Amino acid sequence: MEDMRLADRTASARENKITARGVQVYYGTNHAIKDVDVDIADRTVTAFIGPSGCGKSTFLRCLNRMNDTIPICRVEGRIEIDGEDIYDKRVDPVQLRARVGMVFQKPNPFPKSIYDNVAYGPRIHGLTRNRAELDEVVEKSLRRAALWNEVKDRLTSPGTGLSGGQQQRLCIARAVATSPEVLLMDEPCSALDPIATAQVEELIDELRENFSVVIVTHSMQQAARVSQRTAFFHLGNLVEFGETGQIFTNPRDPRTEAYITGRIG
Amino acid sequence: MNIAVLVLIVLAISAAGYVLGRHRALSGAQGDRRNLHSLIGYYGQTVFLFASVPALFLLAVWLFLQPMLIEARVGAMIQPSDIPEGGSATLVMSDVRRLAEGLDAAIASGAVTEEALAGLQAGDAELGSLLSDAGVALGAELRPNVLEAAKAYRSDSHGARLALTAAVIAVSLVGALLSLLRVSPEYRARNVFERFVLAALIASSLVAVLTTAGIIASLLFESIHFFQLYPAKDFFLSLTWNPQFRGGSDLGIWPLLWGTLYVSFVALIFAVPVGLLIAIYLSEYASKRLRTFAKPAIEILAGIPTIVYGLFALITVGPLLRDYFAQPLGLGTSSASVMTAGLVMGIMLIPFVSSLSDDIINAVPQSLRDGSFAIGATQSETVRQVILPAALPGIVGAILLAASRAIGETMIVVMGAGAAAKLDLNPFQAMTTITVKIVSQLTGDTEFASPETLVAFALGMMLFLFTLVLNVLALVVVRKYREQYE
Ligand SMILES: Nc1ncnc2c1ncn2[C@@H]1O[C@H](COP(=O)(O)OP(=O)(O)OP(=O)(O)O)[C@@H](O)[C@H]1O
Ligand SMILES: [Mg+2]
């Protein structure tokens, strides 16, 4: 636990990337997120844990306004990235999502070549001036996702033809290719085997150098391994939020302790 | 004996078999149904099936074959001299059948006895009055051979009917008995029943397959007949279509094929973009409420009978195109044109394309949309770059299916495109299609002996091959698409 404490200390020294205040989310009449306040630090991995249906994904999707695509969903409260309210009328959700990338639970490569999958974001946002630059971005992203060596000889073959773990890393490469400032990951390892999971976890640790990462996970071990801060959700409430070491060794709330020791879930 | 009564008897035997089968199974198990291999109902059902299905099958086959066999026998009694000038053997045969029915009716009403009937001769006045009482009007004079044939027809039918009754009842009883004997507590009635169901399902699908095979065979047979009368080289290579009913016609398929493809092309050029845009709007942009209202509204278009579209082409679209486009541009003066038929057919195909494509676009997993939005793509970028590529094979399949409908369409082209077989590039000219010519070659006083009528079968064969290829292509493409998401 000693080295984890060290990591926490570096984390708490960083400034806040995202601040959420009084966030409420409704699906029709279903009140899914109840008055949540969270600060997400820059260049830190923050884990969201909690029993199924407690609203982790819902809250995560608030951070890049993916909930806009669900007609019945309503978000209240204030969420700021670098001090700028992302639900402000002047903010274009499309631009926002280029800054806040997302990786989903199930790998969802597009029915395109591996290259085109990674180049998708840079192309639609016009991030490169020529083909050589694009090649460079694609290679860098694939290297970051620890996939380059496996696919460098078949960049033109379809992304859907990769294995599940490779597909998920391809999706991570696709997300980092737009150089987002924040990367949201919703249970990114739930479809992966232990080896691929370890690779992705290693990758998350590396990504921390450049991005702030928010990861939803059902695995306590994973949260403890990769995150510096942990937020515990329960029935739509944020029960406890603090340094990962503290949450797992010395939880303040009895519900957190019950969940971590496996008594509620 | 009446067929309905016979069926009832078979069902009665089967019902008795059902009760006995249950009973026997239960008594074999000492009255405890838990000792049985299968649920008790299965024992009864098995006996029922063995008693009824083979017997009814025999009945059906027999009824199908009997008239053919008897007519072949009786037909041999009629000499060529019995066939009147201008008539045919089939006409005489139907006279024989009517006579036989008349005689049956006469005996049933008690107007004559069997013995008296056997002695009657063709010239007898008594016979004429008997028949007219029974409601059979004789045309020309009754030839002796025909009367004898009718008598033979009667006696054959009666004999056959008796044999049929006996055979069917026997098969039913034997089936019931044999299956009853097999009933015991260990008997796997459940599995036997399962196999019976399987056999029944296979038999039903065989009906469809065999019918298709039959249709193809008859097309093929008549086409071969045609090519014996008319050189295949001319049919496939000649550029003129000019049938003469006195013989010496030019029957080249090219003008018709060209018309068919041209009209279908115009229709697809119109229907595919519009249908596709509708599908994209409905599946990606429209709100749920609009969708539930708009989708059925568009599909109503698909329910309009094609003859109504034909009227629309003839009365509205044709004159409109002629007055506002063809004549001012100096392209033609005919209201029937490729453009008219193509446009109206395009309207007909819109719901076809849009509803198939809509289903296909909806089948694209939501996760792909989420993935694209999460990178910061707009809705139209997502549609163009992710959804359409993912749905493309399915959409191509839908277009191929629409094309095969367009090629086979008849009514709209009859009324919209005209009947002139021409090879022309001008879309405001009247042209015609394969389907139209099949209709026109077969209407009127026809006898299937001349190349002018038989050509319809060769044309039908070509049409069939064309749509078959398109459908197979569409199936292959659609199947490939399915694999991608499984
Ligand atoms: N698209 C939606 N429409 C309506 N209700 C939704 C929708 N998505 C989520 N909900 C509801 O919001 C609540 C929170 O769901 P959410 O998916 O955020 O849970 P979660 O913590 O991610 O669960 P899990 O761990 O199982 O993924 C649940 O009660 C769920 O029923
Ligand atoms: Mg979730």
Side-chain angles (χ1 to χ4, degrees), chain B residues 118-159:
Chain B
L120 280 177
Q121 292 303 318
D124 289 354
E126 194 191 344
L127 183 65
S129 66
L130 265 181
L131 287 173
S132 59
D133 284 349
V136 177
L138 282 179
E141 42 138 11
L142 183 57
R143 305 192 62 102
N145 271 341
V146 175
L147 181 63
E148 287 313 308
K151 286 181 185 166
Y153 189 94
R154 269 196 72 230
S155 68
D156 277 4
S157 300
H158 282 251

Side-chain angles (χ1 to χ4, degrees), chain A residues 61 66 69 94 97-98 100-102 104 108-112 120-121 124-125 174 178, chain B residues 366-378 381-382 385-386 389-390 484-485:
Chain A
R61 292 162 61 92
M66 277 298 280
T69 61
V94 167
R97 289 182 200 134
V100 184
M102 189 164 196
F104 296 83
N108 55 353
F110 300 142
K112 295 167 173 288
Y120 185 79
I124 57 175
H125 295 296
R174 192 174 70 189
T178 50
Chain B
Q366 179 63 29
S367 67
L368 288 186
R369 292 185 186 91
D370 286 346
S372 176
F373 290 142
I375 295 177
T378 62
E381 283 164 350
T382 305
Q385 307 218 25
V386 176
Q484 218 171 46
Y485 293 111

Side-chain angles (χ1 to χ4, degrees), chain B residues 441-453:
Chain B
Q441 291 308 102
L442 292 186
T443 39
D445 200 12
T446 49
E447 207 179 337
F448 296 114
S450 65
E452 284 75 23
T453 46

Side-chain angles (χ1 to χ4, degrees), chain A residues 110 187 215:
Chain A
F110 300 142
E187 302 182 40
I215 177 171

Side-chain angles (χ1 to χ4, degrees), chain B residues 381-401:
Chain B
E381 283 164 350
T382 305
V383 167
R384 259 183 300 134
Q385 307 218 25
V386 176
I387 295 179
L388 285 185
L392 190 65
I395 291 173
V396 170
I399 293 172
L400 289 178
L401 284 180

